[in-house]
Amino acid sequence: MSFTSLSFIIFMAVLVIVYYIIPKKLQWILLLIASCSFYIYGGGKTILYLLFVAGTTYCAGLILSKLNEDKKANIKKRKLVVLLLCLINFGLLYIVKYLSFTAEVINSIAKTSLNVPNLLMPVGISFFMFQSVGYVIDCYRGKYKAERNFAKYLLFVSFFPQIIQGPIGRFNLLAPQLLGEHKLDYDNIKYGIQLALWGYFKKLVIAERVASMVSTVYNNYYSYSGSVLAVATIGYSIQLYCDFSGGIDITRGVAQILSINMSENFKRPIFANTLTEYWRRWHITLGSWMRDYVFYPMALSSPMRKVGSFARNHFGGVMGKIFATSVVTFTIYFIIGIWHGANFRYIAYGFYNGILITSGLLLEPIFVKLREKVNIDFKGKLWRVFQVIRTCFIVFIGRYITRAPRLLAAFYMIKTTFLNFNYADIFNGTLLNLSMSFFDYMVVIIGMIIVIAVEAYQEMGGKARKALEKKPAIIQFCVLMFALITIVGLGAMGSNYVEAEFIYAQF
Amino acid sequence: MSSKKWLIMFVFCILLLPVILMGINFTVDPFGVFGNLKWYSFSETLNPRVSKTEYLIENADKYDSYLVGCSSTSSYPVEDLNKYLNANFYNTISYGADMFDAEQTVKWLIDNCTVKNIVLNVYIHNGVNYNDGEDSILSMMHYKMSDRSAFDFYLKYLLADPNYALDKLEALKNDTWATQTFDVFNEETGAYDKKIRDIEHISDMESYFTQYPVFTNYPVYEEKMKNIDNCMKSVKNIVEMCENANIKLYVVCSPIYSQYIDCFSNEDLTEFYTALANTTDFWDFSYSSVSYEPRYFYDETHFRNDVGSMAIARMFNDDSVYIPDDFGRYITKDNVSSLIDDIVNRKVSFDVSDYTKEVPILLYHSITAGEPDNSGMTVSVKAFENQIRTLYENGYTAVTFNQLYDYVEKGIDLPEKPVLITFDDGYLNNYELAFPILEKYNMNATIFIIGVSVGKDTYKDTGKPMTEHFTMEQANEMLNSGLIDIQSHTYDMHQVENLDKAPVRQGVLKFDDESEADYIKFFCEDITKSIEQIENSTGNKVTVLSYPYGNHSDLSEAICNDILGIKSTVTTNQDYNTIIKGLNQSLYGLNRIYVVEDSNIIELLQSYM
């Protein structure tokens, strides 16, 4: 059941009414039933994967809590449990997501013809798996006690708003809310609806409108000049952001209607000063998951410490100081790249980000010296604008890599963009032959101006929904009507409207 | 505003949305079910079933006879049926209609309209699909023709996607005389409006395959006739309904493109035709030499209107019209086995050269007694005589446009080696120098005159000198010889940069900033003036237009065909023409070969063969 379908709206309406009518003690059971139905409706038998992940992590949590109680218990035993759990789960993830890719690679290198059965891809598997594995590691660290009731734990893993595309929640933050009792709270419902509408606006009105243009160009990238490729890539950047962040807004809005607050996953990445900051603002829960469960353990592990001291002794200087960190950073981006999908271009995308960020770290001392020499106000607004544009540009180039059909195609497209820009194509009508009309371009442009304006307002500390609340009723009415008509008229009911899956759903 | 109030407002707004939607759909009425902003050709394009019913509710008194069936039914011109049956036909065709639809339609027609005749098209595909229960607003039936409730019906159209309404408003703004994708039906006849589609130049097979690549690589897939029983049950019901209501019913089986037949098994074909013959007698056009000629088809399942005309002529025994010998036979229980035998064993014999002819058309402008200039438009009288003599000595016969018409319309064969000689512009030297030579060799020719230049030797606006043109008296003299035909090269649309007043048109083409309506008016007035000039002063019927500079467009061709009654147009594309019996389109956009001073006429002709 897609968030953008009518059946989902009806499902939510019924759920909300029942949720606030039934005895509060039963609310979590209702959520569990709703979540499992939601998953079965969309994924059918693939719920077995979810049950498997939930089952194994649930058991691992219990065992670890038990071992933790026994102070004398060998730390090696606990490590073994985590290791086994990770092997089993990531092994499963590998099989459903990467096995056919591996077979292709082996086939092409060794000229064999390995055949991999086509497995049904469970919806959102990477999301609920990361969430559950995080839980196990927290148990291992003794951060909290394991949940004893499997049904309650299953709700944490399967909670329907987040199941498709995250955010990746933490047990200690999410579980108490899921299992708690919630009174009918009009504020929550209102804010939830508003947030979801904002998400629908971004997703249906902007992202889906631009999607067909992007695929038209990318499917025939060799027939277009650089300027058209650049427009398509800007379009893709818009599509990806509006689709993903819009989806997350719907998720968080829906949860808020049920009085459950989920972690933020986007913090206006378009205003990031640096690439590092960009990644702290984009898909936040994945980043923090990587930080807590990969980066720190890896950076603090004894082999890495040995590498660190080796580097300090042999390279000296800055290089020595940050070598180990750079290696870890690089690894993280590599993993994030692969996480996006089984393809060389995602690996290349990881490299692209990893190289830029580690080289930024390595070159920092040179920048410091340079900054001392040139006469620029590095705290001024202009510099900030420059930084934002620079970051957008770096991200923009990266988008070629993730969207191109093949890695080599991405290189070709980047090359064409710079060497054969041919700006005339922007004005000579070529753009109107890419399955987007002039009207569609205007909708996307105006839509993006609204999105950026609202985000700029938030970036300066404004609270959009609170501010709207203070306006006269007639204005609130007009805004709401405008939003509904826009979403329904220009989004859901658009004549070439084809219900598209969330881009991130299969990741 | 408190959150509670906001939520009440939210619910109110949500409820307001469908009300707004209904308001838009009701007022703009894209499907033509509420009687607002009537535009049948638009709403019929969206849903022919519903909109045609609405149209008939309002206009049934204009008609007394109906064509019923799927989209190939559109190719039986109602004009021809009206002529033979002295009736007023309306074509009820809808996309992908099956016999269930047909039965419902006939039932409704009998109950609600005066019906004298019904032509029912039973297409071979009707054995495949039956009552698929289409529920979409684009293909469902009118509630009056089905068991759908009126409430459900209107609710569906009230809640339709508002984009249909927006599309209608936009289309209203862009609507022109020419057929566009949003108004493909002709309101009056109910058939597809093919005025743009039916003017494309059709000539040799090779270029036809380039235009319609589907015929080169026809996809053969298995079509299973699962619904022969259902189909025949409906045919039977229709036959009975017509008998009871004293209505003359004509059942026809439409032409099938040969390779489409390969999609069906012999068992199914046998069963289909046997069942149909057991149900009713019918006119069969499905299998004949026509099935093997792709130029008689628009695509794999739709035959051209001209083929429909031939079929109707066969049904009403009209000898004056060309009809392939094996096209069309009346089938009963007793002779259906011969049809099945032919179709199953693919028994057909024909020779393409029996119904097609290669005709080169030569193009001259000015003939000079002295040396030709180097414009390439002038040929010396010596060279001209040499060329005409060579043609004569090599057995070429100069034919007229009337002979081409007879070939296409009546099937009267052309001479062994036909050639058509034409002159553009109407120069005096054509009369003084070329005409005597043509007389000498008894060669026909057609001269296209520019109305405004007749008898003139200066440009009308600038007074600058030009080669002298002959007068209407001289034209008459040539016409009287029986050798020369005088036709139109427009009245004043052959304009020349710097010699005529700006802005100068590119031949008959539309100016970019000119509206289509203004253009049609201008073009029609000009050609009508030219036609009247020629017909009034010579009595010669004008049926051909030579496009200045060869410039033409789909629009100009459609205007000539649909409004001006022009039967043939000639361009300056250099090539042979393949003229095809029964296909009027082979007379449109004809190619012509330039002849210059040093042309070796025989080599020139052979180079285009």
Side-chain angles (χ1 to χ4, degrees):
Chain A
M1 188 169 4
S2 151
F3 283 175
T4 56
S5 63
L6 189 61
S7 39
F8 178 74
I9 306 287
I10 296 166
F11 169 82
M12 267 313 290
V14 175
L15 178 64
V16 171
I17 293 168
V18 179
Y19 185 73
Y20 286 112
I21 288 175
I22 56 168
K24 311 260 170 300
K25 281 201 169 116
L26 300 178
Q27 280 176 328
W28 74 269
I29 296 175
L30 177 67
L31 285 186
L32 179 62
I33 294 168
S35 297
C36 289
S37 322
F38 181 87
Y39 201 88
I40 292 170
Y41 185 92
K45 269 188 277 182
T46 54
I47 195 168
L48 292 174
Y49 289 102
L50 185 128
L51 290 174
F52 176 80
V53 172
T56 51
T57 50
Y58 167 76
C59 294
L62 281 184
I63 296 170
L64 287 168
S65 284
K66 188 109 190 136
L67 289 174
N68 281 347
E69 276 167 24
D70 181 3
K71 294 262 158 42
K72 279 176 247 157
N74 195 337
I75 188 157
K76 274 191 180 155
K77 252 189 197 167
R78 289 190 287 149
K79 277 193 173 161
L80 187 68
V81 172
V82 176
L83 187 69
L84 267 177
L85 185 275
C86 288
L87 271 180
I88 292 170
N89 278 287
F90 290 124
L92 178 71
L93 185 63
Y94 175 81
I95 288 169
V96 295
K97 217 172 150 175
Y98 304 100
L99 198 59
S100 59
F101 171 68
T102 317
E104 267 171 44
V105 173
I106 294 175
N107 286 345
S108 71
I109 293 172
K111 306 270 179 275
T112 51
S113 55
L114 295 175
N115 229 339
V116 178
N118 224 341
L119 290 171
L120 267 182
M121 180 81 144
V123 176
I125 185 167
S126 347
F127 291 100
F128 64 73
M129 186 167 286
F130 274 47
Q131 179 158 322
S132 319
V133 170
Y135 161 81
V136 172
I137 296 173
D138 282 350
C139 285
Y140 160 80
R141 289 175 182 165
K143 208 167 157 190
Y144 40 73
K145 283 216 157 146
E147 173 60 56
R148 299 193 154 274
N149 184 330
F150 179 67
K152 288 181 175 174
Y153 176 71
L154 184 60
L155 174 59
F156 163 71
V157 180
S158 69
F159 184 48
F160 73 89
Q162 63 173 28
I163 199 72
I164 292 179
Q165 52 173 8
I168 302 165
R170 299 296 174 91
F171 186 77
N172 53 333
L173 298 176
L174 197 53
Q177 296 191 68
L178 291 174
L179 305 171
E181 300 176 359
H182 302 283
K183 282 204 307 262
L184 175 62
D185 180 341
Y186 292 119
D187 285 348
N188 269 336
I189 299 182
K190 177 175 91 171
Y191 292 141
I193 289 174
Q194 288 175 337
L195 187 55
L197 286 179
W198 181 239
Y200 280 118
F201 172 73
K202 286 195 275 188
K203 190 171 160 53
L204 292 177
V205 179
I206 303 177
E208 297 204 346
R209 184 158 263 105
V210 85
S212 53
M213 182 269 280
V214 174
S215 27
T216 306
V217 176
Y218 269 85
N219 289 347
N220 276 305
Y221 59 90
Y222 36 80
S223 5
Y224 299 103
S225 65
S227 54
V228 178
L229 296 180
V231 168
T233 308
I234 292 172
Y236 178 61
S237 310
I238 291 173
Q239 182 201 348
L240 193 62
Y241 176 63
C242 287
D243 184 272
F244 194 13
S245 77
I248 292 289
D249 285 344
I250 299 171
T251 299
R252 295 185 61 233
V254 162
Q256 194 172 8
I257 294 173
L258 302 166
S259 300
I260 289 158
N261 286 312
M262 303 190 73
S263 319
E264 266 196 286
N265 211 24
F266 286 93
K267 213 175 154 197
R268 304 174 291 280
I270 199 167
F271 294 104
N273 285 337
T274 63
L275 189 58
T276 318
E277 194 191 337
Y278 177 87
W279 282 108
R280 276 201 293 267
R281 287 164 171 261
W282 173 280
H283 210 344
I284 298 169
T285 52
L286 178 67
S288 64
W289 194 95
M290 287 289 170
R291 182 192 65 213
D292 291 352
Y293 302 116
V294 184
F295 184 87
Y296 287 137
M298 196 172 156
L300 300 176
S301 66
S302 53
M304 272 328 281
R305 264 185 276 172
K306 275 179 200 149
V307 170
S309 58
F310 174 86
R312 270 191 297 278
N313 295 337
H314 289 77
F315 305 145
V318 191
M319 183 74 154
K321 254 186 243 164
I322 62 162
F323 182 76
T325 325
S326 304
V327 170
V328 180
T329 308
F330 202 88
T331 316
I332 295 281
Y333 282 100
F334 180 70
I335 295 174
I336 290 182
I338 295 184
W339 179 86
H340 276 80
N343 197 304
F344 279 121
R345 57 179 202 275
Y346 288 119
I347 298 175
Y349 185 59
F351 269 98
Y352 172 76
N353 283 291
I355 288 170
L356 282 174
I357 288 174
T358 45
S359 52
L361 287 175
L362 292 174
L363 297 175
E364 181 59 21
I366 302 172
F367 290 145
V368 171
K369 274 183 200 151
L370 270 177
R371 259 178 247 158
E372 284 163 3
K373 282 189 185 154
V374 289
N375 186 18
I376 294 177
D377 177 10
F378 289 102
K379 294 216 163 79
K381 283 206 175 107
L382 263 176
W383 177 247
R384 169 100 164 88
V385 170
F386 165 75
Q387 282 184 308
V388 166
I389 293 173
R390 181 191 61 186
T391 311
C392 284
F393 180 75
I394 292 170
V395 172
F396 163 76
I397 297 297
R399 291 286 172 241
Y400 279 95
I401 304 173
T402 49
R403 184 59 179 84
R406 285 182 313 281
L407 186 54
L408 284 177
F411 292 149
Y412 166 84
M413 290 174 74
I414 295 172
K415 191 185 93 185
T416 309
T417 302
F418 288 104
L419 298 182
N420 181 22
F421 190 73
N422 194 10
Y423 67 90
D425 278 353
I426 296 178
F427 306 103
N428 63 9
T430 310
L431 295 184
L432 298 178
N433 287 325
L434 307 172
S435 56
M436 240 174 106
S437 65
F438 181 74
F439 176 75
D440 289 329
Y441 280 101
M442 290 317 290
V443 171
V444 170
I445 290 169
I446 294 171
M448 275 317 286
I449 290 174
I450 295 175
V451 169
I452 292 173
V454 169
E455 295 201 347
Y457 178 68
Q458 291 171 330
E459 188 70 13
M460 292 184 297
K463 298 251 182 290
R465 284 176 288 178
K466 291 262 188 233
L468 183 63
E469 213 168 51
K470 295 196 186 87
K471 296 273 184 269
I474 182 72
I475 292 190
Q476 294 195 42
F477 171 77
C478 290
V479 170
L480 180 60
M481 254 348 254
F482 173 76
L484 288 174
I485 290 177
T486 310
I487 292 166
V488 175
L490 297 179
M493 291 190 105
S495 56
N496 31 10
Y497 171 58
V498 184
E499 225 175 59
E501 284 197 45
F502 284 86
I503 294 183
Y504 265 74
Q506 301 284 340
F507 286 158
Chain B
M1 194 191 285
S2 74
S3 293
K4 194 173 173 182
K5 273 192 189 148
W6 189 91
L7 281 170
I8 294 169
M9 182 175 85
F10 176 72
V11 173
F12 172 74
C13 288
I14 291 281
L15 296 177
L16 198 58
L17 283 181
V19 175
I20 295 174
L21 178 65
M22 289 195 238
I24 294 173
N25 280 329
F26 182 77
T27 343
V28 179
D29 194 12
F31 290 86
V33 293
F34 302 112
N36 295 321
L37 217 65
K38 270 180 207 163
W39 183 12
Y40 289 109
S41 47
F42 179 88
S43 48
E44 284 169 7
T45 305
L46 285 183
N47 182 337
R49 290 167 174 82
V50 163
S51 183
K52 286 186 168 186
T53 312
E54 287 286 339
Y55 175 79
L56 285 177
I57 290 173
E58 199 134 300
N59 296 288
D61 52 337
K62 290 188 194 162
Y63 308 96
D64 59 16
S65 301
Y66 297 87
L67 274 148
V68 179
C70 61
S71 55
S72 66
T73 316
S74 175
S75 304
Y76 295 102
V78 294
E79 295 80 6
D80 294 22
L81 286 165
N82 290 347
K83 185 177 75 187
Y84 294 118
L85 283 168
N86 190 25
N88 289 309
F89 265 88
Y90 180 78
N91 202 327
T92 67
I93 68 122
S94 52
Y95 321 124
D98 54 38
M99 273 306 122
F100 178 78
D101 295 331
E103 188 187 338
Q104 300 291 102
T105 307
V106 170
K107 190 162 173 292
W108 185 84
L109 286 170
I110 294 176
D111 291 345
N112 294 278
C113 314
T114 328
V115 189
K116 274 191 347 202
N117 308 288
I118 284 181
V119 174
L120 173 70
N121 173 22
V122 183
Y123 190 63
I124 193 165
H125 194 264
N126 292 140
V128 178
N129 284 39
Y130 187 83
N131 191 13
D132 288 342
E134 261 301 347
D135 203 32
S136 105
I137 51 172
L138 296 174
S139 52
M140 70 185 194
M141 299 276 271
H142 199 284
Y143 77 93
K144 289 184 175 166
M145 273 197 200
S146 62
D147 43 17
R148 187 183 295 280
S149 76
F151 177 79
D152 179 41
F153 176 80
Y154 286 115
L155 191 66
K156 266 199 145 79
Y157 285 107
L158 281 173
L159 293 176
D161 189 323
N163 280 290
Y164 293 116
L166 297 181
D167 286 348
K168 180 171 176 181
L169 294 178
E170 200 181 334
L172 265 176
K173 207 176 65 196
N174 298 329
D175 184 34
T176 58
W177 175 80
T179 322
Q180 295 184 68
T181 48
F182 52 72
D183 58 350
V184 301
F185 280 101
N186 179 327
E187 240 166 70
E188 289 288 309
T189 63
Y192 287 130
D193 181 349
K194 290 177 179 168
K195 57 178 173 259
I196 295 289
R197 184 152 200 191
D198 274 358
I199 42 81
E200 71 185 319
H201 171 62
I202 295 180
S203 186
D204 60 301
M205 198 72 100
E206 202 180 316
S207 46
Y208 195 70
F209 282 156
T210 324
Q211 279 164 280
Y212 293 92
V214 64
F215 291 111
T216 51
N217 187 15
Y218 188 81
V220 174
Y221 46 92
E222 200 190 353
E223 287 268 40
K224 206 81 196 92
M225 290 209 227
K226 304 178 293 289
N227 280 303
I228 295 179
D229 289 349
N230 284 325
C231 168
M232 295 311 160
K233 215 184 290 164
S234 286
V235 175
K236 188 159 177 274
N237 290 341
I238 293 172
V239 171
E240 281 168 7
M241 279 189 279
C242 290
E243 268 170 16
N244 295 336
N246 209 10
I247 292 165
K248 179 77 184 137
L249 172 72
Y250 301 86
V251 177
V252 292
C253 268
S254 289
I256 311 170
Y257 182 58
S258 54
Q259 282 175 294
Y260 185 51
I261 301 175
D262 296 342
C263 299
F264 298 90
S265 71
N266 286 341
E267 292 70 35
D268 278 357
L269 289 168
T270 309
E271 194 190 333
F272 181 81
Y273 287 104
T274 313
L276 184 59
N278 285 335
T279 314
T280 176
D281 297 349
F282 61 96
W283 274 100
D284 180 73
F285 299 101
S286 53
Y287 188 71
S288 68
S289 56
V290 168
S291 300
Y292 289 85
E293 176 49 76
R295 287 170 290 192
Y296 284 148
F297 290 83
Y298 298 107
D299 61 34
E300 55 271 41
T301 55
H302 297 92
F303 57 98
R304 290 184 179 273
N305 278 26
D306 281 350
V307 176
S309 291
M310 294 195 287
I312 294 171
R314 171 70 80 213
M315 286 166 67
F316 298 99
N317 221 356
D318 185 347
D319 294 337
S320 69
V321 173
Y322 167 75
I323 312 167
D325 289 338
D326 65 344
F327 185 56
R329 50 185 147 172
Y330 195 69
I331 300 294
T332 64
K333 269 198 278 292
D334 304 326
N335 66 355
V336 68
S337 54
S338 69
L339 166 64
I340 293 170
D341 181 38
D342 286 356
I343 199 166
V344 164
N345 300 310
R346 306 289 194 272
K347 278 191 193 160
V348 72
S349 69
F350 63 96
D351 185 347
V352 179
S353 64
D354 287 346
Y355 65 87
T356 64
K357 192 80 186 173
E358 305 288 319
V359 180
I361 303 179
L362 302 180
L363 169 57
Y364 290 97
H365 284 88
S366 186
I367 307 295
T368 173
E371 286 299 305
D373 60 18
N374 26 359
S375 67
M377 299 286 193
T378 315
V379 175
S380 72
V381 68
K382 205 173 113 205
F384 178 71
E385 174 158 11
N386 193 20
Q387 289 161 353
I388 296 298
R389 193 183 56 237
T390 313
L391 286 173
Y392 176 78
E393 286 168 353
N394 280 274
Y396 280 92
T397 314
V399 296
T400 63
F401 279 95
N402 283 330
Q403 281 176 283
L404 297 190
Y405 302 155
D406 284 347
Y407 181 79
V408 170
E409 292 165 5
K410 301 178 183 157
I412 299 173
D413 280 324
L414 288 164
E416 174 71 18
K417 287 166 92 176
V419 62
L420 214 153
I421 300 166
T422 66
F423 294 83
D424 272 3
D425 303 344
Y427 295 113
L428 179 62
N429 57 45
N430 293 174
Y431 168 75
E432 288 175 337
L433 305 174
F435 177 46
I437 294 169
L438 293 165
E439 273 187 310
K440 182 171 165 192
Y441 296 96
N442 199 31
M443 289 290 221
N444 288 300
T446 303
I447 303 177
F448 296 101
I449 61 170
I450 304 163
V452 73
S453 303
V454 170
K456 299 270 173 59
D457 59 1
T458 54
Y459 285 93
K460 72 171 195 316
D461 295 325
T462 56
K464 291 186 179 161
M466 64 177 178
T467 314
E468 195 174 355
H469 293 68
F470 58 71
T471 64
M472 283 324 275
E473 288 73 39
Q474 291 160 329
N476 252 321
E477 193 189 328
M478 290 192 281
L479 271 166
N480 289 338
S481 73
L483 283 180
I484 305 297
D485 188 8
I486 302 290
Q487 295 290 337
S488 173
H489 200 25
T490 75
Y491 188 81
D492 187 19
M493 291 181 89
H494 195 310
Q495 304 205 329
V496 188
E497 200 85 47
N498 298 325
L499 297 175
D500 277 297
K501 204 166 63 188
V504 167
R505 239 175 237 280
Q506 302 296 307
V508 305
L509 296 186
K510 187 167 97 58
F511 285 125
D512 285 343
D513 56 356
E514 190 178 25
S515 79
E516 193 183 291
D518 287 347
Y519 168 70
I520 294 174
K521 185 161 173 281
F522 187 89
F523 182 44
C524 286
E525 276 174 7
D526 183 273
I527 304 301
T528 309
K529 213 167 164 187
S530 166
I531 293 174
E532 281 170 358
Q533 180 194 33
I534 298 169
E535 291 187 352
N536 291 345
S537 46
T538 67
N540 190 42
K541 180 114 184 85
V542 176
T543 54
V544 195
L545 174 71
S546 167
Y547 283 117
Y549 312 111
N551 291 336
H552 63 289
S553 63
D554 284 355
L555 185 57
S556 70
E557 292 275 75
I559 296 169
C560 286
N561 183 37
D562 204 73
I563 304 179
L564 297 167
I566 295 287
K567 288 166 98 171
S568 178
T569 59
V570 294
T571 69
T572 52
N573 297 335
Q574 302 223 55
D575 209 341
Y576 256 68
N577 299 288
T578 305
I579 309 294
I580 304 160
K581 285 183 185 174
L583 206 56
N584 288 300
Q585 274 170 269
S586 63
L587 295 170
Y588 257 73
L590 291 173
N591 304 313
R592 291 191 291 175
I593 298 166
Y594 269 104
V595 191
V596 293
E597 177 72 12
D598 48 9
S599 293
N600 176 327
I601 195 80
I602 300 299
E603 278 176 16
L604 181 67
L605 289 180
Q606 276 164 356
S607 70
Y608 286 104
M609 270 302 264

